[in-house]
Amino acid sequence: MTQDELLVLIHQKDEKAFTYLYDMYSKSLFSVINVLVKNREEAEDVLQEVFVKIWKNIDSYNESKGRFYTWILNIARNTSIDKLRSKNFNDSQKNLSSDNFVHLLDDSNKLVNKIDTIGIQEFVKKLKPKCIQIIDLLFFKGYTQQEASDELAIPLGTVKTQNRNCINDLRLYLKL
């Protein structure tokens, strides 16, 4: 099934379309969510939330504004960031025992290799060091532009300009 056929079925709220949608995009979206949330169970919950949002808000997708994958990726990223900023999530993270973190040391190398399934990290590595820093903070770690500005100790306007330039460089590498 092509993406265009899938979109038609989703607009029609065809139940089979949800299964196709999930099969096509769940692995790549989960990778992005898991990197941001850093908790498998929470990431699975966020993934479920993301697919519900996609399903309910399909009418807000506008093909002329960008690719479908980019649209759903932004939903996944924003939902993950919302989860990270939620009071309940922050409280639950404070209450975790150190036993819950032992496996992270063993899995850290595996996680680095799973930043995302579409391989975007390999393209990001080809960018200038400043671009790598900005994209890492904004997209992989979920910082706001203001938080990135504070972290890097540079003006907000500079972060915005450099982010735009870095994304343009990345587009050239991806030939989009």
Side-chain angles (χ1 to χ4, degrees):
M1 175 177 293
T2 67
Q3 182 177 295
D4 291 336
E5 293 169 334
L6 176 64
L7 287 171
V8 169
L9 292 176
I10 293 172
H11 278 289
Q12 295 171 352
K13 301 297 183 194
D14 184 313
E15 290 182 22
K16 291 179 187 175
F18 190 84
T19 303
Y20 288 123
L21 176 70
Y22 187 86
D23 290 344
M24 288 174 74
Y25 297 106
S26 63
K27 289 180 183 176
S28 59
L29 293 179
F30 181 77
S31 293
V32 171
I33 293 166
N34 197 35
V35 166
L36 290 169
V37 176
K38 296 180 179 86
N39 177 312
R40 184 170 184 84
E41 289 175 9
E42 294 288 344
E44 289 169 353
D45 289 344
V46 171
L47 181 66
Q48 184 177 4
E49 240 181 278
V50 166
F51 277 99
V52 170
K53 285 182 179 183
I54 293 168
W55 189 256
K56 287 183 175 180
N57 298 311
I58 191 65
D59 292 333
S60 68
Y61 169 64
N62 184 344
E63 192 174 315
S64 67
K65 290 185 178 179
R67 295 179 24 218
F68 179 69
Y69 182 75
T70 305
W71 183 72
I72 65 174
L73 191 61
N74 280 329
I75 291 173
R77 183 178 168 276
N78 292 339
T79 305
S80 299
I81 292 169
D82 290 345
K83 181 63 149 183
L84 289 172
R85 291 181 179 160
S86 74
K87 185 176 182 346
N88 290 339
F89 182 79
N90 288 326
D91 289 345
S92 72
Q93 296 304 300
K94 289 176 188 172
N95 296 328
L96 292 176
S97 73
S98 61
D99 295 338
N100 292 327
F101 297 102
V102 173
H103 73 282
L104 289 178
L105 297 174
D106 297 333
D107 292 343
S108 65
N109 288 335
K110 294 177 194 169
L111 184 61
V112 169
N113 295 328
K114 291 184 186 177
I115 291 296
D116 63 346
T117 56
I118 61 171
I120 198 79
Q121 188 179 22
E122 292 305 313
F123 290 102
V124 171
K125 287 179 182 177
K126 295 179 182 179
L127 296 172
K128 298 174 218 159
K130 195 58 141 178
C131 286
I132 293 171
Q133 242 184 340
I134 288 174
I135 288 176
D136 181 57
L137 290 176
L138 294 176
F139 295 96
F140 293 119
K141 292 183 178 168
Y143 281 44
T144 64
Q145 290 179 335
Q146 182 61 55
E147 290 168 339
S149 168
D150 295 342
E151 177 75 19
L152 299 172
I154 58 176
L156 177 61
T158 303
V159 169
K160 290 179 179 187
T161 301
Q162 287 182 350
N163 180 40
R164 186 173 45 252
N165 292 339
C166 294
I167 295 299
N168 286 334
D169 292 347
L170 191 57
R171 281 188 182 120
L172 291 174
Y173 285 126
L174 294 171
K175 296 180 179 147
L176 295 176

